Amino acid sequence: MKLKINGQLHEVAIESNRTLLDVLRYDLGLTGTKEGCSTGNCGSCTVLLDGEAVNSCLVFAAEAEGKEITTIEGLAERGKLHPLQQAFIDEGAVQCGFCTPGMILSAKAFLDSNPHPTEAQVRMGISGNICRCTGYDKIVKAILRAAKE
């Protein structure tokens, strides 16, 4: 099977019951995608599949064949952080960092479809992602900051 991940084609031989999360982390070493709940409730495993935020723990890898997969490792371009990544740093929106990759990718998909959101819209847009360290205020500020840039 061939998977296009972060613009590069990867050929992998896997069983049909393997999740995209497992293949990304354990076969391809893309450990920015985190395994949290394994039930699609926390958002830690969020990746973009053809630009849409999905929980990779709920997607069979075979379902991703022929689609563009973007992980946190593929967001920066030519060594320059994506504006969302930079905004998370600038606003101090990273604490333990476990939820950060999924949060940023969810925010990217959200901003791609809603480039000028209100604070309430941002909060709804990231509602599928759980952060156990923060009150979300700095995360929301970072997303709003990135939307302005």
Side-chain angles (χ1 to χ4, degrees):
M1 166 182 1
K2 293 180 182 174
L3 297 174
K4 188 174 182 187
I5 304 165
N6 302 325
Q8 296 182 352
L9 206 55
H10 296 268
E11 192 158 344
V12 291
I14 59 167
E15 297 84 20
S16 61
N17 66 342
R18 298 274 311 281
T19 65
L20 182 56
L21 170 65
D22 285 341
V23 172
L24 291 172
R25 286 186 61 80
Y26 305 114
D27 294 307
L28 300 174
L30 297 170
T31 57
T33 306
K34 305 299 184 205
E35 183 171 6
C37 67
S38 298
T39 59
N41 291 316
C42 74
S44 295
C45 66
T46 301
V47 298
L48 302 181
L49 198 57
D50 285 342
E52 181 182 337
V54 299
N55 292 315
S56 62
C57 71
L58 298 180
V59 176
F60 287 119
E63 294 176 279
E65 190 170 24
K67 299 181 179 178
E68 176 65 38
I69 303 160
T70 305
T71 69
I72 195 69
E73 291 91 347
L75 209 52
E77 291 186 13
R78 294 182 292 280
K80 185 176 191 255
L81 292 177
H82 184 277
L84 268 167
Q85 292 170 305
Q86 190 61 56
F88 266 62
I89 292 168
D90 294 344
E91 292 294 333
V94 178
Q95 285 193 15
C96 83
F98 193 82
C99 73
T100 304
M103 193 74 73
I104 288 174
L105 289 169
S106 289
K108 178 170 185 339
F110 171 73
L111 289 178
D112 285 348
S113 66
N114 187 356
H116 305 290
T118 65
E119 179 179 332
Q121 290 170 325
V122 168
R123 288 183 183 277
M124 282 300 297
I126 61 168
S127 63
N129 294 75
I130 296 172
C131 175
R132 291 178 173 89
C133 298
T134 71
Y136 296 93
D137 288 336
K138 290 181 179 184
I139 292 169
V140 171
K141 285 179 185 176
I143 295 168
L144 289 169
R145 180 182 186 146
K148 289 179 185 174
E149 294 181 9

